[in-house]
Amino acid sequence: MSHGSDDQSVNFSGNTSFQDVLSSAVENRGRRNIIKGGLGFAALTALPGLAITSKAVAQNVPAALAFPSVAKSLLDEVVLPPGYSFSILHASGDPIDPSVPAYTNAGLEVDDWSHRIGDHHDGMDIYYIDESGRYSQAATSRAVLCVNHESSADSHFLHPTGQTSNGQSRKKFDQFGAWDLGTRPELEVLKEINLHGVSVVELHKTERGFSYKLDSKLNRRITAQTPMRIAGAAEHLADIRKMMRTAFDPSGTTSRGTLNNCGHGKTPWGTYITCEENWARYFQIASGSNPGDANHTASLKRYGVASAPMDPKATKAFGQGWHTVSESDTRFTRWNLAVLASDPSGDFRNEAYTFGYNVEIDPLNPAAAPVKRVSMGRFAHEAAVCGVPVAGKPLAFYMGCDSVNEYIYKFVSKALWDPKDVGGGLAIGDKYLNEGVLYVARFDADGTGKWLELSFNQPEIANFSKYQFANQADVWINARLAADAVGATPMDRPEWGAVNHANGEIYFALTNNNIASRTPAKVNAANPRSYADTDGRKAMGNPNGHIIRFREAAGLSTAATFAWDIFLFGAEDDLGSANLSGLTAANDFSSPDGLWFSKATGICWIQTDDGAMTDESNCMMLAAIPGTVGDGGRRTVENRVTIAGVEQVGTQETFIGAALGEARLKRFLVAPRGSEVTGVTETADGKTLFVNIQHPGEKTPALGEAAQFKLESSWPGSIGYGKPGRPRSATIVITKDDGGLIGL
């Protein structure tokens, strides 16, 4: 999801652009020739250790999409192609326990939201259950659905008159905007805390479609208060726990809750990984407090956490003010990072270190405490995509850090994959996700890339001038700083990743970037555009984003190198030379975010979280039939923007995938006003698609005391779901009227 802080870079590393980083093999071929004439993928096959093979795409991948492309829409409704229908599975506030009353949709609930569906539906996945109650890879008659819940940016809808402090309604509702200083009411804050996390519900299928079982013992909420286990490599576990000590658990073995759960991952053994994304701006350092030592402050700053006490003269501050409820109740004081005691076990200075991880959940075992996987690194996690598992080989998980100029990472397990581990729960997670190696990506200008190990033994990390690493645990917990040190490539906001099951290639959505980071002088091969969107929002930089993909050398999870190209560039159809993928009115899009491949059809589903072309269409979901890395060729991008009356121009060489055209890239869905389309999964037969509609009506002004406001959206109440009025996030269930495969 796009938030204000994502557009403000906290990457001060100064790491180089791609065109300045070339492998020695390419240098030997003559830099002048490469820059002038370019190095195509045919030439790359001759580089030592980089033989590029192309595996055949699965036979079930169609040559063209069968449905007619949906037109762009500004309507407050879900628009689908003819022959498709949808129903709503659940929406924010729906109870998951029969003892909890129905949602009023007027903010009148007197409960703390811990037994209701969370808000801001995001990543999700489905888990089948066999006759013994264990996870099944094959479809069965029972299943649960796990759904992430992200921010509280529009929490004003959850209270009668919006968010309040000192009894007065807030004039600002953006979670990263200003809040009126003062004491927040306890119940308001508990609702906001508990709407985060994950909802797990058991599905129920009838002849009329899917619903969820209100009385299932598997129904469960994981919230920002749920106790969790801290896990990591045994050799470094003591050092990890030392950095996790708080007044909640002075031993550092456990923490409370998960926050801002956006993308997700599904492990080969059948557990759910929920990714903690924009967690940093929920914390404060109270006025007049000690912020900690220089190293600690540098860490907070690099992660975008408030790194200095609030100005005592200020009337507003960032965040939600959760810490103001009480000066003694740790449910609320934990959000104040001030150094208040002689030892970390006496305050919450380390609380921010307990967020920013992949959190593993066993969807079929409500008694199992979720686990934070520290060895996979700490950052603004967006997706944890497992490559195609191969028996007897390590597993690789690919991860993005969703902020401007951040990085793409890979975790490679020490353990070798054993299919017998399927259904083993969190104990199997300990086997594969605690011991392994964390890498960060460097994308080179010749269309190749390298995985850089994030190890305390690396001289660049051990001797880094901007932060003094203490040990390997410190490297994992401050992975952004370690990635800075080794020279990783800053990217245009890495969002969701996805694996093409047909050939093992990995895709990442690079949502967008702003002109501060992407002038014509600051582009690079994998982030090659700097342009002006002259109509609509009139944004500059890379406001429409793109999707990059890469293939590991020899298809190995342990590969040190890879080949890459850009699969698709987002653009409005009238963008001119910046419309590098040749999009038309039938398939143009902006700001790709969610990505997911169907195993049943081979379709790549693309979901948007856009603010650049929303003058002509709400956010959307598209279907694409992908090719392979290298199926296109080299391209020279011409960049031109005018900043403060001064025209800036430049060119950039890059590699672009083959054009898809209107037959292989179509708009499938357009969402209601103000919403983001994010999260998608399907039943094993490919005939039912689950899709999340997040924050409809997001730009509705905060509710005033007299409730004098105009709703941007009233969906889904406007179509008869629940009480009408305020908009709600929801999971929808899409089927084809003839019962066939979705998209074909």
Side-chain angles (χ1 to χ4, degrees):
M1 179 180 177
S2 176
H3 297 299
S5 66
D6 302 333
D7 298 326
Q8 301 171 5
S9 176
V10 291
N11 185 345
F12 311 108
S13 65
N15 285 355
T16 56
S17 298
F18 301 109
Q19 65 263 41
D20 298 325
V21 186
L22 298 176
S23 68
S24 59
V26 176
E27 291 284 6
N28 291 337
R29 291 177 175 268
R31 180 178 176 87
R32 180 181 179 185
N33 182 62
I34 295 166
I35 298 300
K36 182 178 179 181
L39 183 62
F41 277 91
L44 291 179
T45 61
L47 295 181
L50 258 182
I52 298 177
T53 59
S54 179
K55 298 180 179 179
V57 177
Q59 294 299 312
N60 64 350
V61 178
L65 296 162
F67 61 89
S69 186
V70 171
K72 287 175 274 193
S73 169
L74 292 171
L75 300 174
D76 190 28
E77 59 186 50
V78 172
V79 183
L80 291 169
Y84 286 85
S85 303
F86 78 92
S87 61
I88 295 176
L89 179 72
H90 57 52
S92 300
D94 283 344
I96 62 169
D97 183 319
S99 67
V100 176
Y103 188 55
T104 68
N105 202 25
L108 300 176
E109 281 66 32
V110 295
D111 57 274
D112 66 2
W113 204 279
S114 60
H115 293 277
R116 297 183 181 274
I117 297 293
D119 197 20
H120 281 216
H121 296 46
D122 212 301
M124 62 179 163
D125 228 316
I126 190 170
Y127 294 81
Y128 288 104
I129 310 170
D130 66 17
E131 293 181 354
S132 64
R134 290 164 55 97
Y135 169 68
S136 171
Q137 291 178 303
T140 66
S141 60
R142 292 184 66 199
V144 299
L145 187 74
C146 296
V147 177
N148 282 352
H149 301 290
E150 198 186 0
S151 79
S152 53
D154 49 11
S155 289
H156 54 301
F157 291 135
L158 311 182
H159 314 305
T161 60
Q163 292 173 292
T164 62
S165 59
N166 284 351
Q168 300 296 314
S169 295
R170 291 177 58 189
K171 306 304 180 185
K172 188 82 173 180
F173 67 85
D174 182 354
Q175 87 175 82
F176 295 124
W179 60 280
D180 301 319
L181 295 181
T183 301
R184 297 285 317 279
E186 179 176 315
L187 187 56
E188 279 190 19
V189 169
L190 285 176
K191 287 182 182 180
E192 293 168 20
I193 290 174
N194 289 334
L195 65 82
H196 293 81
V198 178
S199 293
V200 182
V201 296
E202 183 172 352
L203 299 177
H204 179 60
K205 186 177 182 181
T206 67
E207 293 181 355
R208 293 184 296 176
F210 278 95
S211 61
Y212 70 96
K213 295 182 64 176
L214 182 60
D215 60 350
S216 173
K217 294 181 179 180
L218 294 176
N219 291 354
R220 180 185 184 192
R221 279 300 317 284
I222 295 97
T223 74
Q225 298 193 103
T226 302
M228 302 196 171
R229 175 164 60 93
I230 302 295
E235 179 183 357
H236 305 287
L237 196 53
D239 291 328
I240 291 173
R241 290 172 175 170
K242 184 177 180 181
M243 295 186 70
M244 302 290 184
R245 291 182 295 160
T246 67
F248 171 70
D249 184 351
S251 72
T253 59
T254 61
S255 66
R256 268 181 298 188
T258 184
L259 196 64
N260 261 66
N261 305 82
C262 196
H264 80 289
K266 186 174 187 177
T267 67
W269 53 95
T271 57
Y272 185 72
I273 295 179
T274 184
C275 304
E276 298 180 326
E277 188 202 13
N278 293 304
W279 49 270
R281 299 298 289 272
Y282 287 85
F283 298 97
Q284 298 287 326
I285 298 178
S287 300
S289 300
N290 178 3
D293 62 30
N295 221 38
H296 179 67
T297 302
S299 172
L300 296 181
K301 183 177 181 181
R302 183 63 183 86
Y303 279 81
V305 181
S307 56
M310 293 187 297
D311 184 346
K313 298 180 181 180
T315 59
K316 295 180 181 294
F318 287 108
Q320 299 281 19
W322 289 349
H323 70 285
T324 66
V325 175
S326 170
E327 295 183 356
S328 59
D329 190 330
T330 64
R331 293 177 301 170
F332 309 110
T333 58
R334 62 186 290 214
W335 306 105
N336 175 15
L337 301 180
V339 175
L340 303 174
S342 59
D343 185 270
S345 61
D347 55 37
F348 289 98
R349 73 189 73 173
N350 288 341
E351 186 74 5
Y353 292 141
T354 70
F355 288 94
Y357 301 100
N358 288 328
V359 180
E360 188 181 8
I361 297 167
D362 187 344
L364 307 185
N365 185 359
V371 183
K372 300 212 172 189
R373 299 296 181 188
V374 177
S375 302
M376 301 180 82
R378 170 176 165 266
F379 37 89
H381 271 279
E382 185 79 47
V385 182
C386 186
V388 177
V390 178
K393 301 292 184 181
L395 298 173
F397 287 82
Y398 300 88
M399 306 166 288
C401 180
D402 179 18
S403 288
V404 167
N405 296 330
E406 293 301 340
Y407 309 123
I408 293 173
Y409 297 80
K410 176 173 78 167
F411 175 82
V412 179
S413 69
K414 179 179 179 181
L416 308 181
W417 172 237
D418 185 348
K420 294 179 181 178
D421 286 333
V422 171
L426 298 179
I428 301 303
D430 288 337
K431 174 180 176 180
Y432 292 103
L433 301 182
N434 285 349
E435 307 283 346
V437 180
L438 183 64
Y439 299 89
V440 68
R442 189 189 75 199
F443 291 78
D444 294 334
D446 59 3
T448 68
K450 185 175 182 179
W451 292 110
L452 309 173
E453 183 177 350
L454 298 183
S455 168
F456 184 63
N457 296 324
Q458 299 287 95
E460 301 94 332
I461 293 176
N463 302 318
F464 191 42
S465 62
K466 298 181 181 180
Y467 182 86
Q468 297 179 2
F469 289 96
N471 45 51
Q472 183 60 44
D474 200 355
V475 171
W476 290 325
I477 293 170
N478 284 290
R480 277 185 175 179
L481 286 156
D484 293 345
V486 299
T489 301
M491 307 292 283
D492 286 352
R493 282 191 58 208
E495 286 265 7
W496 284 52
V499 57
N500 185 346
H501 308 286
N503 57 22
E505 294 175 354
I506 304 298
Y507 288 57
F508 267 91
L510 303 177
T511 296
N512 51 47
N513 209 331
N514 55 43
I515 194 60
S517 299
R518 285 287 173 255
T519 66
K522 293 181 180 178
V523 295
N524 49 60
N527 303 273
R529 288 190 302 178
S530 178
Y531 59 95
D533 176 9
T534 55
D535 62 3
R537 297 293 300 276
K538 299 183 179 180
M540 293 190 294
N542 180 20
N544 301 126
H546 56 285
I547 300 171
I548 200 165
R549 62 184 176 182
F550 52 86
R551 177 174 57 246
E552 299 278 33
L556 297 175
S557 61
T558 54
T561 55
F562 55 87
W564 65 267
D565 69 4
I566 295 175
F567 172 53
L568 279 173
F569 286 92
E572 295 185 41
D573 64 314
D574 60 356
L575 195 57
S577 61
N579 183 4
L580 296 171
S581 294
L583 305 182
T584 70
N587 58 20
D588 57 345
F589 68 95
S590 176
S591 299
D593 188 332
L595 276 179
W596 187 81
F597 277 86
S598 166
K599 287 185 177 180
T601 64
I603 290 174
C604 175
W605 293 101
I606 302 166
Q607 300 172 312
T608 70
D609 179 16
D610 182 39
M613 62 178 280
T614 46
D615 58 307
E616 60 181 75
S617 181
N618 302 335
C619 287
M620 59 189 68
M621 185 166 82
L622 304 98
I625 299 174
T628 61
V629 172
D631 60 10
R634 179 177 55 83
R635 182 82 169 268
T636 300
V637 180
E638 297 181 356
N639 293 309
R640 184 183 302 272
V641 296
T642 299
I643 304 174
V646 178
E647 186 178 58
Q648 298 186 22
V649 298
T651 60
Q652 175 62 57
E653 300 291 312
T654 192
F655 299 92
I656 302 179
L660 298 183
E662 292 185 356
R664 297 173 61 198
L665 177 65
K666 295 185 179 185
R667 191 177 300 111
F668 177 78
L669 176 154
V670 182
R673 295 188 192 118
S675 63
E676 168 189 352
V677 187
T678 179
V680 54
T681 190
E682 68 184 0
T683 53
D685 59 9
K687 296 181 178 181
T688 302
L689 202 64
F690 298 85
V691 174
N692 283 328
I693 305 297
Q694 186 184 115
H695 62 66
E698 183 183 36
K699 292 182 173 59
T700 298
L703 307 184
E705 293 180 0
Q708 295 176 350
F709 64 95
K710 183 178 180 181
L711 290 171
E712 180 190 17
S713 169
S714 58
W715 188 91
S718 57
I719 60 171
Y721 185 86
K723 298 288 185 180
R726 305 176 187 190
R728 301 161 68 188
S729 297
T731 298
I732 65 174
V733 185
I734 300 173
T735 54
K736 198 173 181 180
D737 295 347
D738 65 6
L741 291 168
I742 303 293
L744 303 184

